[in-house]
Amino acid sequence: MKELTHYYNKKDILFKEIEEIAPKDLKSRKKIKIYVATSIQKEYYAIFIIDSKSRFIRKNAEDLMLLLENLVSYQEHNFKKKELLISSPICSKAKKLLENDKWRVRVDFM
């Protein structure tokens, strides 16, 4: 979580509160880190961190969107900002699909 706060501090985004959600709580077995955060400007963030060696493809993007729906129902809150922090290569179709759904994809994390 420390790396996450440093990363967003460099982007001039300060969080008032950050909470980690276990994928098991969302009935998922994926190796992913999920954070729910509130910024000082009272914007609600859903942050997903994926660290894998294989390419992130369109099917993974669709799974991620389903995971977000589970998070929305689990937290009973709709998030204004949806962010994917990824260290592996990402397929252009997957990136376009996420960006069309108002996701921010950041590849410069880690």
Side-chain angles (χ1 to χ4, degrees):
M1 193 176 313
K2 191 174 184 180
E3 303 90 28
L4 184 69
T5 54
H6 284 294
Y7 176 77
Y8 277 104
N9 281 341
K10 290 178 187 173
K11 306 277 184 203
D12 294 328
I13 299 172
L14 297 173
F15 290 122
K16 183 168 43 174
E17 181 182 341
I18 298 177
E19 177 186 352
E20 185 171 4
I21 306 292
K24 188 173 73 172
D25 295 341
L26 304 178
K27 298 174 180 68
S28 174
R29 298 179 67 213
K30 296 194 176 300
K31 292 186 179 182
I32 185 171
K33 291 184 181 177
I34 304 168
Y35 294 96
V36 175
T38 308
S39 71
I40 292 178
Q41 290 84 19
K42 295 193 169 119
E43 295 175 320
Y44 292 89
Y45 283 77
I47 303 168
F48 296 85
I49 301 174
I50 297 177
D51 184 24
S52 66
K53 295 178 177 83
S54 60
R55 178 182 284 263
F56 189 82
I57 58 174
R58 185 181 173 109
K59 181 185 178 302
N60 300 110
E62 292 167 355
D63 292 343
L64 191 65
M65 293 165 107
L66 289 173
L67 200 58
L68 176 70
E69 289 177 18
N70 292 345
L71 180 65
V72 166
S73 62
Y74 178 75
Q75 288 281 313
E76 297 176 354
H77 191 280
N78 204 356
F79 297 94
K80 183 174 183 180
K81 306 273 186 170
K82 303 172 278 193
E83 302 217 355
L84 170 65
L85 306 178
I86 189 165
S87 61
S88 64
I90 185 166
C91 172
S92 62
K93 291 179 183 175
K95 187 173 183 179
K96 188 172 186 177
L97 176 71
L98 290 173
E99 288 175 346
N100 286 343
D101 198 37
K102 295 184 174 62
W103 280 74
R104 174 171 277 163
V105 180
R106 297 181 189 249
V107 188
D108 58 347
F109 186 69
M110 287 183 232

